[in-house]
């Protein structure tokens, strides 16, 4: 059975927490490599964090910042 990856979750949340306004474009997060100790890929971790409502996704009026 597939379970969540707490080390990967914490590492990705740490990236967002360390950002200037606690905001990071989704495209930028998707381009990152999986954090050390993470058993799952960044795509899965983002999906997991968004589904658990630990991250929020906001639409922007700038087309360059809209997610893929």
């Amino acid at each position: 059975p597939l379970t969540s990856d707490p080390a990967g979750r914490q590492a990705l949340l740490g990236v967002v927490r360390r950002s200037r306004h606690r905001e990071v474009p989704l495209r930028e997060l998707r381009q990152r490599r999986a954090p050390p100790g993470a058993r799952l890929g960044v795509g899965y971790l983002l999906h997991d964090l968004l589904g658990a409502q630990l991250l929020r996704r906001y639409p922007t009026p700038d087309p360059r910042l809209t997610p893929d």
Side-chain angles (χ1 to χ4, degrees):
L2 191 59
T3 60
S4 66
D5 184 3
R9 267 186 171 191
Q10 292 303 317
L12 215 50
L13 284 173
V15 168
V16 176
R17 280 192 209 110
R18 286 189 304 269
S19 68
R20 184 171 181 171
H21 297 288
R22 291 190 176 195
E23 296 176 357
V24 179
L26 189 58
R27 180 175 291 148
E28 190 177 309
L29 284 175
R30 282 189 180 138
Q31 291 174 348
R32 295 185 69 86
R33 292 177 46 166
R39 296 177 297 174
L40 303 168
V42 173
Y44 180 86
L45 291 170
L46 284 172
H47 183 73
D48 182 42
L49 290 169
L50 289 167
Q53 297 180 350
L54 295 172
L55 286 180
R56 293 191 187 130
R57 190 171 165 178
Y58 294 103
T60 63
D62 187 354
R64 293 174 294 151
L65 297 176
T66 56
D68 298 324

